[in-house]
Amino acid sequence: MEPRFELFPEQASTLAPRVDALFYYLTGVTVFFTLLIFILVVVFAVKYRRRPGDTTAPPPIHGSKALEIIWTVIPLVLVAIMFFWGAKVYHDQLRPPSDAYEVLVTGKQWMWKFQHPNGKREINDLHVPAGRPVKLTMGSEDVIHNVYVPAFRMKQDVVPGRWTRTWFNAVKPGVYRLFCNQYCGTNHSKMIGRVIVMEPREFQAWLGDETGATPAQSGEALFAKLACNTCHTGTSGARGPSLVGLFGKKVRLLGGKEVLADENYIRESITNPSAKIVEGYQPIMPSFQGLVTEEQLMQLTAYVKSLAQDSPQSVSPSDLSTTNAVSKEVATK
């Protein structure tokens, strides 16, 4: 059987048709105006060319307001559609649904490491269920990588020093190519993998019930091993703020500013704790930069996230005192 030529890979995610529609619109507008301008240039060059023996000066042109308005408004509308349409697709791609299945991803020369919520790990293969949003929280251990699945129209940089995220909802079971789309070194071309989309029941059977420590459990053990619980005790007079209910809330900093306690804030607080000092505390925490791997940073963050509470509110010293008892119980597990 001869290989089938395909201009585009198949549309295997809910996002793919939206990206393709935007692409067709951009291409259609570009082709239309390119042909229009080319044809007009040729027609006018022929029609208004200087004839042999004609020495008369052309009549002056006074312009036309109606024509100027038309050639200004029409491109403006077309470009505005491009902007708002593209911004909407990009916005939706960066914001996964709250009930998305989360997988931790670590990029490394030259492999992809995945960890599922129940602790199951994979390298270069990622198994996911069909028909369910899957969120990827991604970090790099060395250089800039880029996770790219053409069939999902999904592409997102994986940057050292911070975490990025993206998500997809695969619409049908199958095996789809995963590439690194950022030149990351000599063997960049070998940094490939597969996304294996399974029926939900088959995926659950593959995932199993107990496969080892979850990221949060690993983070909790690491939290104790690094003696973080000696400062983040949640008790009155503790040297560090309580972490109970921290994730997803706004934190008041020294100087009055506020910051959202998301994944990157927690990561920065571990690797560069002096960057943002919580109001009411001293900058005495040492940096753990280089002492923990990117994967361990994700596990510590997963542990802090597991301590989150539902109601978002600002965290102040007075708020912290109300969670002391709970924090102490969790931190000393």
Side-chain angles (χ1 to χ4, degrees):
M1 180 178 179
E2 296 184 358
R4 186 178 58 178
F5 174 75
E6 292 182 338
L7 187 59
F8 291 96
E10 61 178 311
Q11 297 175 336
S13 75
T14 54
L15 182 67
R18 298 177 61 189
V19 173
D20 287 355
L22 178 60
F23 175 81
Y24 292 138
Y25 173 76
L26 293 172
T27 303
V29 171
T30 302
V31 170
F32 173 78
F33 279 100
T34 300
L35 292 177
L36 177 64
I37 293 171
F38 175 78
I39 292 171
L40 289 179
V41 167
V42 172
V43 170
F44 290 163
V46 172
K47 183 175 181 180
Y48 298 108
R49 71 186 187 282
R50 181 183 292 275
R51 267 70 173 183
D54 183 4
T55 59
T56 59
I61 300 175
H62 300 288
S64 168
K65 287 186 178 179
L67 187 60
E68 291 179 3
I69 291 174
I70 290 173
W71 72 40
T72 300
V73 172
I74 291 179
L76 177 64
V77 172
L78 293 175
V79 171
I81 292 174
M82 292 180 192
F83 173 77
F84 288 108
W85 191 352
K88 181 68 170 63
V89 172
Y90 183 68
H91 174 276
D92 293 345
Q93 185 182 11
L94 289 183
R95 283 164 175 75
S98 58
D99 60 343
Y101 178 82
E102 184 172 14
V103 178
L104 302 182
V105 183
T106 304
K108 179 183 178 181
Q109 292 175 321
W110 289 269
M111 67 173 69
W112 295 104
K113 297 191 291 186
F114 305 101
Q115 186 172 18
H116 293 264
N118 72 341
K120 192 159 187 171
R121 298 170 183 269
E122 300 182 83
I123 292 180
N124 290 340
D125 278 354
L126 172 61
H127 290 75
V128 296
R132 178 177 178 184
V134 177
K135 172 186 175 184
L136 304 182
T137 300
M138 306 178 290
S140 171
E141 290 189 359
D142 36 49
V143 299
I144 298 177
H145 301 282
N146 185 292
V147 61
Y148 174 46
V149 182
F152 298 166
R153 309 298 190 269
M154 182 190 74
K155 182 176 176 297
Q156 180 64 50
D157 279 344
V158 183
V159 184
R162 61 186 294 263
W163 292 334
T164 56
R165 67 183 180 188
T166 188
W167 72 282
F168 61 89
N169 188 342
V171 295
K172 58 182 178 180
V175 180
Y176 305 96
R177 284 289 189 183
L178 166 67
F179 298 100
C180 176
N181 200 39
Q182 191 76 255
Y183 180 71
C184 58
T186 306
N187 291 326
H188 156 73
S189 61
K190 296 181 180 179
M191 192 172 172
I192 56 177
R194 302 182 305 168
V195 180
I196 302 161
V197 181
M198 311 171 73
E199 293 288 355
R201 183 174 300 178
E202 295 176 358
F203 173 75
Q204 194 58 45
W206 173 87
L207 191 62
D209 296 327
E210 296 182 5
T211 56
T214 67
Q217 290 169 338
S218 298
E220 183 179 10
L222 189 60
F223 189 82
K225 182 180 178 180
L226 297 174
C228 305
N229 52 6
T230 60
C231 292
H232 297 281
T233 62
T235 58
S236 177
R239 288 176 290 181
S242 170
L243 304 180
V244 174
L246 172 68
F247 186 79
K249 295 181 179 176
K250 289 185 178 179
V251 178
R252 264 202 298 277
L253 304 177
L254 199 64
K257 291 185 177 179
E258 289 189 339
V259 62
L260 180 66
D262 57 9
E263 288 97 341
N264 278 307
Y265 167 77
I266 295 172
R267 187 190 186 285
E268 184 184 48
S269 298
I270 298 171
T271 58
N272 185 18
S274 299
K276 296 181 176 68
I277 306 300
V278 178
E279 185 181 61
Y281 293 90
Q282 298 298 318
I284 59 174
M285 177 173 164
S287 171
F288 287 84
Q289 181 74 45
L291 299 179
V292 291
T293 65
E294 201 65 32
E295 200 168 356
Q296 289 174 326
L297 284 170
M298 288 186 174
Q299 292 169 350
L300 286 170
T301 302
Y303 171 59
V304 175
K305 290 171 67 176
S306 72
L307 305 178
Q309 296 173 344
D310 294 331
S311 55
Q313 59 184 35
S314 296
V315 178
S316 65
S318 59
D319 297 324
L320 295 171
S321 64
T322 63
T323 60
N324 284 345
V326 180
S327 177
K328 181 179 179 181
E329 179 183 349
V330 174
T332 55
K333 279 182 179 180

